[in-house]
Amino acid sequence: MANMEALVQRLEKAVSRLETLESSSNAESGSDVVAPFVEAFDEMLVGTIAKYYKLSKEIGGDVGEHADLVNEAVKMERAFLVTASQSQQPPMKELTQLLQPLSNKISQIQDFRERKRSSAKFNHLSAISDSIPGLGWLAIAPKPGPYVKEMTDAAMFYTNRVLKEYKDTDKRHVEWVKAYISFWTELQAYIKAHHTTGLSWSKTGPKATASSVTTSPSAGIAPPPPGPPPPPPQEVASSVDTTSSRAALFSELNKGAEITSRLKHVPDSSKTHKNPALRNANTPAHTGPKPFKAAAASPTPSAKKEPPMLQLEGKKWRVENHDNASNLSIQVAELKQVAYVYKCTQSTLTIKGKINSITVDNCKKLGLVFEDVVGIVEVINSRDVKIQVLGKVPTISINKTDGCHVYLSKDSLNCEIVSAKSSEMNVLIPVNDDFVEYPVPEQFKTVWNGKKLMTTVTEISG
């Protein structure tokens, strides 16, 4: 029996030494032995995303060149996952620095689409550009999965265009769409399995630094499309110090409405609606942030109100986060300039001069007045938008928008209006000194004629 105990002790010491050696080896060469969630990510890369990359190169031209940029960004994505598997989460300021290279690369990919607006493969480039932010799930907590789903849906408008254009002429483009969308679907499942409440960082090891992020993925892996990371998550210093504190953090995040159970009870004597004297008292009003209307979990970074912006960055006019601004104005100096209008509410924007394109995203009760547009005016994810054309515009695209009134000029009556997943759309045509309103159909009838499906517009009465 004594010999048996001695043998067991020797075996335990040997196993301990082997584990120590293995840990050291992993720290020195993270690409040889990777974490399970990195291996799972690699499996996606050699599947649907590898097929997307291969088909992109076969299609060639702008699509192939765009895929090369996507390739570089996905290498950064995988390198970040490797870093997270070997390091503890850093403070917010350092995390922002870690994500900056990926953010820059993603901006480069989106700028590629802007430079190629005259490309014959513009719909391909737009599908990538609009869904790229999906890779920013690295900085989303506590639910990155729905964020990726939203970015995937943003690509559908343009991938449907690709399918419509090539379904009867070149099946490679059809397979390209299937491979690309399948990757995002798999990524949602991957996040749900490995990063449900946010990116999984190591519970041990040093804090992550810029030098710990390498950019060489494992051999044979073709990369997927990227997206600019959203604002970094709020720093919770105590959640990355120890295993127990990290677990406590996620426990709090998952409580939902129950997280308010520890709030102190307010006695009747302190309630203003039961004490008129308190209402009349000359006391300063509470200036803290307003609470949510409904109980919610820990707020995400996107809940932060960003400052208003109206400035020219390179060739892009950025008009963002304006509320009740009735005199916004842009004077276009060069034809290559574009305008991006984001999260503006109850505001009016006037664009003077000839501009390349205009994008209206996530706006409510916005009035847009412009002179001439060379390319396209896009309205997406918005409500109650009014557009007035003073000059010419070839195309107006309305996607995922409820309530859009388009006032055309006499010079823009040949404008093509494309709509999808939208409602309450009306086009107003100038007649003499007045406008006549025409509703855009929202209902369609589809029948099988014996050979194929035939879809016709169901006219809106009245």
Side-chain angles (χ1 to χ4, degrees):
M1 182 63 68
N3 292 337
M4 181 63 70
E5 292 178 354
L7 179 60
V8 170
Q9 291 178 358
R10 291 178 59 189
L11 287 173
E12 290 176 347
K13 291 181 180 180
V15 170
S16 177
R17 291 183 59 190
L18 288 173
E19 291 176 344
T20 302
L21 291 174
E22 182 182 7
S23 176
S24 300
S25 176
N26 290 347
E28 295 174 358
S29 181
S31 61
D32 295 334
V33 180
V34 297
F37 68 75
V38 178
E39 290 180 346
F41 188 79
D42 289 345
E43 290 177 2
M44 289 191 299
L45 299 188
V46 298
T48 52
I49 199 60
K51 186 175 181 180
Y52 147 77
Y53 185 73
K54 177 177 179 293
L55 290 169
S56 296
K57 303 304 290 184
E58 289 180 3
I59 294 172
D62 293 333
V63 175
E65 187 178 351
H66 207 203
D68 287 334
L69 297 176
V70 166
N71 183 28
E72 297 173 7
V74 172
K75 290 179 181 179
M76 296 179 180
E77 172 96 348
R78 183 187 184 276
F80 202 92
L81 290 173
V82 173
T83 298
S85 69
Q86 299 173 349
S87 310
Q88 296 184 54
Q89 183 176 352
M92 181 177 62
K93 182 177 180 180
E94 296 179 18
L95 180 59
T96 303
Q97 296 175 352
L98 290 177
L99 291 170
Q100 192 60 48
L102 178 59
S103 178
N104 293 339
K105 178 59 63 175
I106 288 161
S107 296
Q108 182 181 354
I109 294 171
Q110 292 185 310
D111 289 341
F112 184 91
R113 191 275 293 265
E114 297 299 328
R115 296 197 310 270
K116 300 291 183 176
R117 283 196 167 267
S118 60
S119 172
K121 303 297 187 295
F122 180 73
N123 288 329
H124 297 68
L125 306 182
S126 296
I128 301 296
S129 180
D130 283 8
S131 57
I132 278 172
L135 290 187
W137 70 267
L138 294 170
I140 290 291
K143 295 182 179 181
Y147 173 76
V148 173
K149 176 64 165 59
E150 181 180 349
M151 295 300 103
T152 306
D153 292 342
M156 298 296 289
F157 177 74
Y158 289 102
T159 55
N160 287 340
R161 284 186 172 185
V162 174
L163 292 175
K164 181 179 180 180
E165 182 177 359
Y166 291 97
K167 66 180 180 179
D168 297 325
T169 58
D170 193 339
K171 295 298 182 183
R172 290 180 304 172
H173 297 265
V174 177
E175 295 301 317
W176 182 89
V177 169
K178 291 180 180 178
Y180 184 65
I181 296 300
S182 294
F183 166 71
W184 291 105
T185 302
E186 292 179 3
L187 182 60
Q188 294 174 46
Y190 164 79
I191 292 173
K192 184 177 181 180
H194 300 279
H195 310 277
T196 307
T197 57
L199 178 60
S200 298
W201 292 84
S202 174
K203 299 177 182 178
T204 59
K207 293 285 197 307
T209 61
S211 61
S212 65
V213 181
T214 58
T215 57
S216 55
S218 60
I221 294 178
Q234 296 179 349
E235 178 182 4
V236 185
S238 61
S239 66
V240 295
D241 291 338
T242 65
T243 300
S244 59
S245 60
R246 181 182 178 88
L249 170 65
F250 288 128
S251 175
E252 290 296 311
L253 292 175
N254 291 328
K255 284 183 178 180
E258 294 180 2
I259 198 170
T260 61
S261 60
R262 291 180 295 174
L263 296 177
K264 293 182 178 180
H265 175 70
V266 179
D268 291 345
S269 60
S270 300
K271 297 178 181 178
T272 56
H273 67 281
K274 293 188 176 182
N275 293 274
L278 291 178
R279 292 199 299 268
N280 299 329
N282 187 20
T283 57
H286 177 62
T287 58
K290 295 181 179 179
F292 292 103
K293 293 182 179 180
S298 179
T300 61
S302 60
K304 181 181 178 181
K305 177 63 177 178
E306 298 294 336
M309 173 187 298
L310 196 162
Q311 65 184 38
L312 179 63
E313 294 184 354
K315 64 178 182 179
K316 178 186 289 188
W317 283 97
R318 295 180 59 185
V319 186
E320 303 178 5
N321 306 304
H322 287 275
D323 290 331
N324 298 305
S326 59
N327 58 350
L328 299 174
S329 180
I330 291 176
Q331 180 63 57
V332 181
E334 300 180 55
L335 183 59
K336 65 180 181 180
Q337 292 179 354
V338 301
Y340 180 66
V341 188
Y342 178 68
K343 279 193 175 180
C344 292
T345 304
Q346 293 184 335
S347 300
T348 302
L349 171 65
T350 302
I351 300 179
K352 302 177 181 179
K354 183 177 291 188
I355 194 168
N356 188 286
S357 65
I358 304 172
T359 299
V360 176
D361 185 6
N362 208 359
C363 294
K364 296 180 181 179
K365 297 184 178 180
L366 173 73
L368 173 64
V369 181
F370 60 87
E371 295 179 356
D372 296 300
V373 173
V374 177
I376 187 174
V377 175
E378 297 178 277
V379 182
I380 185 171
N381 294 325
S382 298
R383 290 176 56 188
D384 299 330
V385 175
K386 293 185 178 180
I387 300 174
Q388 183 170 5
V389 187
L390 301 179
K392 294 182 179 180
V393 58
T395 306
I396 297 177
S397 172
I398 307 171
N399 188 27
K400 297 181 183 177
T401 295
D402 296 325
C404 184
H405 289 68
V406 179
Y407 293 78
L408 296 178
S409 66
K410 293 182 179 180
D411 294 331
S412 61
L413 295 181
N414 60 348
C415 172
E416 181 183 86
I417 299 176
V418 181
S419 60
K421 299 182 180 179
S422 299
S423 64
E424 301 178 36
M425 299 170 289
N426 296 277
V427 179
L428 293 97
I429 306 298
V431 177
N432 298 325
D433 295 329
D434 201 358
F435 285 91
V436 178
E437 185 175 20
Y438 295 91
V440 177
E442 302 172 19
Q443 296 181 346
F444 302 88
K445 179 175 66 176
T446 301
V447 296
W448 175 254
N449 69 353
K451 294 182 179 180
K452 61 179 180 179
L453 293 175
M454 298 292 294
T455 301
T456 56
V457 171
T458 300
E459 294 293 344
I460 301 176
S461 60

